[in-house]
C-alpha cells in the first residue's frame, strides 16, 4: 500500500564485498592478516575466517561444496517454500547431540607446530637435531602431516586432488575432456573466501539457541557469545562452511566482517591488506520484503536475476525517500550512491554470487577470471587484446565456462559467458584508446554498454584508488577520522575527507550517473532460461 506518496518498501542497507578474481595473485596476505587479527588464539588454531583456495581443488574444509554430504543451505519444497537442507526442527532436535552432518577436524586439518626447542636448546654433538611436528590441539607428536588449509595450493597434487573437486565431479560428464589435469592442459585460479553475510542466512535459522543474528543496521551476521550453547547446528547449516567451533570456549565463531572497523568507516583487514587490490567494499540497498520470494524461485538459473531484482537503485528519488522512511541516514545513502559494489553488481553486471543455488542470497560477489583467455590467444601468435579474437576464444578458454558457471551462476553458462564478453570488450575498447586510436563504440554497444561506461568500468577495475574501492559509511565520522589519522596503513600526507559533502566530492568513477527517471533502461545480461522467455 502507498504511504505518504511513497511506494511501501522495507528498505535495508548491507555492507557488501566484490572480489575481482582476475587480480588475485594467491599470496595469502589476506588470510595471514585475518588470522593474526581474529583467530590467533587457543581454540581457533584450525580456523581461517579468510582463506584462499586454488581451483579446481577440494577447498577448506575438504569438499565443502558437496551439499549432498554436508546438508548446508536451503532447499525448495514441492509447495514452493524453503526449508533447511539439514531437515525440519524435529530432525535437527533428534540429532542435536550427535550431528551427522558436521565436518570433523580431519576435514579441516590437524593444526600443527614444531618442537623448535629441539633446535634452539640442543647440546653440541655429532647428531643433527630435528623439529618434529606437534599437534596444536592435543600436543602430541604427529608422525605424518597429511592435509592443510591450502594443501592443494597452486594445483599441488592436482592429479590426485583435482578430480575430487565436487564441481568437477558434477560437470565432468557434461564437459568431458575439457577438464583434464595433465600439466600441459591444466588450469587454475584463486578463490578467496570469507563469510558471505547472506540476506537469507541458513546459519541463523539453524541455530537452536538464537545466538546467530543478522544486524539490521549493516547486514553483518554475528554470533552472540553469551547466548551460544555450542550446538554447532550453524556449522552444518552454513553451506559455505564459514562458521567454526572454538573447542576451548565451546562457542561458535565466524568472520565478523571486521565490524569494529566498519563501524568507524574503515575497510576490513583482508580488504586493506590485499596486495592485488582486488576487493571492493560498499553499501547495497535492498527490498527486504522481496528476499524470501527471490530465494524460493523454482528454477535455479533464476536465482541470480531474482537476487539482482532485490537490489534498489540508490540514485532513484523514490528509493531514497523509502530508505529515509526506513531509518537509513543521508550518510549511508550518500555511500550507497558512491558504492563500487553496486556498480559492479548492478550497473555493469560483471560480478556474480558464489553458489546462488544454496538459496542463502550471498553478499560477497566475484568478477570471474578472464586472464587465461588473453594468454591462450596470445600463445597462438594472435593479438590477445583484439575484440574479435577474444570473443571467439571465450568458448575455448582453458577454464571451462561450465566450471565457472557451476561456481558463480548455478550452472547457467549464459550468464558467465555474457560477463566474460563484457570484460573482454572492456579490454579491447581500452586497448584502442591506450594505443592512441579512435575508440570503437561498436565494441561497447555489442555488450550493452556505452563508451563512457566502458571507461568508468576500466577505471574502477584497473586503477581505482583506495577511496574508490572502499566506500564505508560511519555512524561516528569524527571518531573515524581521528582513527584514520593514526592508522598505520595510511600515508601521513593523505588528506582525510570529512562530512557527506566531502564524500560526494571524492566520488567513485560512476558517481555522476543520471537519476533513474532520466536514465535509459538498463540492458540486462543474457540471464537464465525462465527470464529470457518472459
Amino acid at each position: 500500500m502507498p504511504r505518504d506518496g511513497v511506494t511501501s518498501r522495507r528498505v535495508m542497507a548491507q555492507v557488501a564485498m566484490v572480489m575481482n578474481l582476475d587480480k588475485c595473485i594467491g599470496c595469502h596476505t589476506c588470510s595471514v592478516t585475518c588470522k593474526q587479527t581474529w583467530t590467533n588464539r587457543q581454540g581457533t588454531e584450525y580456523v581461517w575466517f579468510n582463506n584462499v583456495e586454488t581451483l579446481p581443488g577440494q577447498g577448506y574444509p575438504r569438499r565443502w561444496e558437496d551439499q549432498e554430504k554436508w546438508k548446508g543451505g536451503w532447499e525448495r519444497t514441492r509447495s514452493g517454500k524453503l526449508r533447511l537442507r539439514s531437515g525440519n526442527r524435529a530432525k535437527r532436535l533428534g540429532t542435536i547431540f550427535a550431528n551427522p552432518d558436521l565436518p570433523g577436524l580431519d576435514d579441516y586439518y590437524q593444526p600443527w607446530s614444531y618442537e623448535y626447542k629441539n633446535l634452539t636448546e640442543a647440546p653440541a654433538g655429532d647428531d643433527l637435531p630435528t623439529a618434529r611436528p606437534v599437534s596444536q590441539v592435543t600436543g602430541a607428536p604427529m608422525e605424518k602431516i597429511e592435509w592443510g588449509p591450502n594443501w592443494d595450493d597452486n594445483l599441488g597434487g592436482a592429479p590426485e586432488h583435482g578430480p575430487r573437486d565436487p564441481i568437477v565431479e558434477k560437470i565432468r560428464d557434461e564437459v568431458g575432456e575439457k577438464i583434464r589435469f595433465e600439466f600441459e592442459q591444466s588450469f587454475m585460479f584463486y578463490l578467496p573466501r570469507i563469510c558471505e553475510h547472506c540476506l537469507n542466512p541458513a546459519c541463523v535459522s539453524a541455530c537452536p539457541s538464537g545466538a546467530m543474528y543478522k544486524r539490521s543496521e549493516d547486514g553483518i551476521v554475528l554470533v552472540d557469545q553469551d547466548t551460544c550453547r555450542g550446538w554447532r547446528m550453524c556449522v552444518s547449516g552454513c553451506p559455505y562452511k564459514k562458521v567454526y567451533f572454538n573447542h576451548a570456549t565451546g562457542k561458535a565463531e565466524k568472520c565478523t566482517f571486521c565490524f569494529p572497523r566498519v563501524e568507524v568507516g574503515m575497510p576490513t583487514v583482508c580488504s586493506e591488506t590485499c596486495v592485488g587490490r582486488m576487493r571492493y567494499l560498499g553499501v547495497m540497498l535492498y527490498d527486504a520484503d522481496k528476499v524470501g520470494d527471490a530465494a524460493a524461485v523454482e528454477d535455479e538459473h533464476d536465482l541470480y536475476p531474482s537476487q539482482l531484482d532485490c537490489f534498489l537503485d540508490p540514485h532513484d528519488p523514490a528509493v531514497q525517500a523509502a530508505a529515509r522512511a526506513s531509518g537509513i541516514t543521508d550518510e549511508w545513502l550518500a555511500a550507497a550512491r558512491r558504492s563500487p559494489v553496486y556498480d559492479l553488481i548492478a550497473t555493469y553486471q560483471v560480478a556474480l554470487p558464489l553458489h546462488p543455488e544454496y538459496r542463502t542470497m550471498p553478499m560477497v560477489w566475484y568478477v570471474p577470471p578472464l586472464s587465461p583467455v588473453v594468454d591462450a590467444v596470445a600463445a597462438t601468435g594472435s593479438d590477445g587484446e583484439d575484440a574479435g579474437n577474444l570473443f571467439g576464444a571465450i568458448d575455448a578458454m582453458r577454464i571451462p565456462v561450465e566450471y565457472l558457471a557451476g561456481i558463480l551462476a548455478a550452472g547457467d553458462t549464459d550468464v558467465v559467458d555474457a560477463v566474460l564478453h563484457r570484460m573482454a570488450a572492456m579490454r579491447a575498447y581500452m586497448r584502442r584508446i591506450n594505443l592512441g586510436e579512435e575508440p570503437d563504440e561498436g565494441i561497447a554497444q555489442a555488450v550493452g554498454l556505452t563508451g563512457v561506461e566502458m571507461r568508468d568500468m576500466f577505471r574502477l577495475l584497473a586503477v581505482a584508488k583506495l577511496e574508490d574501492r572502499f566506500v564505508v559509511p560511519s555512524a561516528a565520522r569524527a571518531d573515524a577520522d581521528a582513527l584514520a589519522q593514526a592508522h598505520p596503513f595510511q600515508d601521513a600526507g593523505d588528506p582525510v575527507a570529512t562530512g557527506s559533502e566531502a564524500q560526494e566530492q571524492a566520488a567513485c568513477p560512476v558517481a555522476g550517473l543520471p537519476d533513474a527517471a532520466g536514465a535509459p533502461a538498463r540492458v540486462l545480461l543474457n540471464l537464465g532460461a525462465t527470464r529470457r522467455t518472459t
Side-chain angles (χ1 to χ4, degrees):
M1 294 292 292
R3 182 178 58 197
D4 298 330
V6 177
T7 303
S8 179
R9 284 175 175 154
R10 190 157 61 98
V11 180
M12 299 190 74
Q14 167 104 22
V15 180
M17 182 183 291
V18 168
M19 303 191 202
N20 183 2
L21 298 183
D22 248 346
K23 300 179 73 175
C24 181
I25 62 175
C27 65
H28 299 275
T29 302
C30 53
S31 301
V32 174
T33 53
C34 176
K35 181 74 173 174
Q36 293 299 320
T37 303
W38 292 104
T39 59
N40 187 22
R41 49 195 162 82
Q42 186 179 6
T44 59
E45 296 90 352
Y46 77 100
V47 174
W48 296 81
F49 288 168
N50 182 113
N51 72 291
V52 181
E53 300 173 0
T54 299
L55 295 182
Q58 296 188 56
Y60 163 84
R62 276 188 267 194
R63 296 176 56 83
W64 62 269
E65 294 164 299
D66 184 2
Q67 302 312 325
E68 295 299 322
K69 177 180 181 180
W70 301 122
K71 303 293 191 297
W74 301 89
E75 62 183 359
R76 190 177 187 271
T77 65
R78 293 181 180 179
S79 62
K81 296 183 179 180
L82 292 182
R83 70 179 177 193
L84 292 171
R85 275 183 172 268
S86 55
N88 56 27
R89 292 184 180 181
K91 180 181 178 181
R92 284 183 281 122
L93 181 61
T95 59
I96 197 169
F97 295 109
N99 188 347
D101 306 322
L102 192 67
L105 187 59
D106 290 339
D107 293 307
Y108 295 96
Y109 74 106
Q110 182 76 239
W112 73 89
S113 184
Y114 293 93
E115 295 177 326
Y116 292 109
K117 286 187 177 181
N118 288 354
L119 303 179
T120 60
E121 299 179 2
D126 296 331
D127 298 328
L128 183 67
T130 60
R132 294 187 302 173
V134 177
S135 170
Q136 289 185 305
V137 177
T138 65
M142 297 174 61
E143 296 299 327
K144 184 179 181 181
I145 298 174
E146 298 180 344
W147 196 255
N150 59 336
W151 194 259
D152 46 6
D153 193 33
N154 292 322
L155 293 184
E160 176 184 355
H161 303 302
R164 299 197 63 202
D165 182 329
I167 304 302
V168 171
E169 291 181 348
K170 184 178 180 180
I171 69 172
R172 197 153 198 174
D173 291 339
E174 176 184 349
V175 302
E177 294 301 311
K178 276 190 175 183
I179 295 185
R180 304 185 67 175
F181 293 97
E182 286 80 1
F183 178 76
E184 297 85 355
Q185 298 167 314
S186 62
F187 66 91
M188 58 167 276
F189 63 96
Y190 300 109
L191 181 73
R193 292 204 306 119
I194 64 172
C195 170
E196 294 286 331
H197 297 276
C198 308
L199 298 182
N200 186 35
C203 59
V204 173
S205 297
C207 179
S209 57
M212 302 282 297
Y213 66 100
K214 185 175 179 65
R215 302 206 308 186
S216 59
E217 61 267 32
D218 53 22
I220 297 175
V221 177
L222 297 174
V223 184
D224 185 337
Q225 295 292 300
D226 293 331
T227 306
C228 179
R229 295 295 177 264
W231 296 119
R232 287 173 274 186
M233 288 295 174
C234 54
V235 179
S236 54
C238 173
Y240 304 98
K241 293 297 171 279
K242 278 300 176 180
V243 184
Y244 305 90
F245 180 71
N246 185 321
H247 58 81
T249 64
K251 308 285 187 179
E253 296 190 23
K254 62 177 294 298
C255 161
T256 65
F257 215 75
C258 292
F259 73 89
R261 294 169 59 92
V262 170
E263 287 177 347
V264 293
M266 297 174 65
T268 63
V269 168
C270 61
S271 298
E272 188 159 17
T273 59
C274 175
V275 174
R277 300 183 179 182
M278 49 85 71
R279 300 189 186 222
Y280 300 81
L281 286 175
V283 174
M284 295 291 290
L285 302 180
Y286 66 96
D287 189 340
D289 293 329
K290 285 186 175 182
V291 171
D293 292 338
V297 294
E298 182 177 2
D299 189 345
E300 288 186 346
H301 288 182
D302 286 335
L303 286 166
Y304 162 64
S306 67
Q307 183 171 359
L308 209 57
D309 285 342
C310 292
F311 300 138
L312 302 175
D313 184 358
H315 303 278
D316 187 343
V319 171
Q320 296 175 20
R324 292 188 182 96
S326 298
I328 298 176
T329 65
D330 286 339
E331 184 177 16
W332 276 71
L333 289 176
R337 291 193 292 272
R338 299 177 50 236
S339 172
V341 172
Y342 177 82
D343 295 328
L344 294 172
I345 291 176
T347 303
Y348 307 132
Q349 296 178 35
V350 293
L352 299 171
L354 182 65
H355 288 295
E357 68 271 20
Y358 298 160
R359 299 181 183 270
T360 60
M361 312 289 277
M363 290 302 289
V364 176
W365 290 39
Y366 296 85
V367 179
L370 180 66
S371 294
V373 178
V374 179
D375 296 340
V377 173
T380 65
S382 302
D383 188 346
E385 300 287 352
D386 181 78
N389 293 337
L390 278 178
F391 289 166
I394 285 177
D395 291 335
M397 64 187 290
R398 294 181 72 178
I399 303 178
V401 174
E402 294 87 352
Y403 185 82
L404 291 175
I407 297 170
L408 300 174
D412 190 350
T413 57
D414 291 331
V415 170
V416 175
D417 190 70
V419 170
L420 293 177
H421 274 79
R422 281 196 171 178
M423 298 291 291
M426 179 193 70
R427 292 192 179 195
Y429 183 89
M430 292 305 301
R431 175 181 181 271
R432 294 179 63 88
I433 295 177
N434 292 335
L435 292 177
E437 301 175 4
E438 286 295 322
D440 184 355
E441 299 301 325
I443 296 176
Q445 294 171 4
V447 292
L449 295 176
T450 66
V452 174
E453 289 174 324
M454 280 289 185
R455 291 182 177 90
D456 289 341
M457 182 167 67
F458 171 79
R459 181 185 170 195
L460 185 58
L461 289 172
V463 295
K465 295 185 178 180
L466 185 142
E467 61 268 19
D468 297 327
R469 291 183 288 117
F470 308 139
V471 183
V472 184
S474 167
R477 175 57 58 184
D479 293 340
D481 294 340
L483 188 58
Q485 292 279 16
H487 187 45
F489 295 106
Q490 181 176 357
D491 294 333
D494 289 350
V496 178
T498 59
S500 58
E501 181 178 354
Q503 292 180 26
E504 293 283 8
Q505 291 175 355
C508 73
V510 294
L513 289 176
D515 289 339
R522 169 62 50 204
V523 178
L524 293 177
L525 294 177
N526 191 14
L527 299 173
T530 303
R531 171 64 67 85
R532 290 195 301 272
T533 57
T534 57

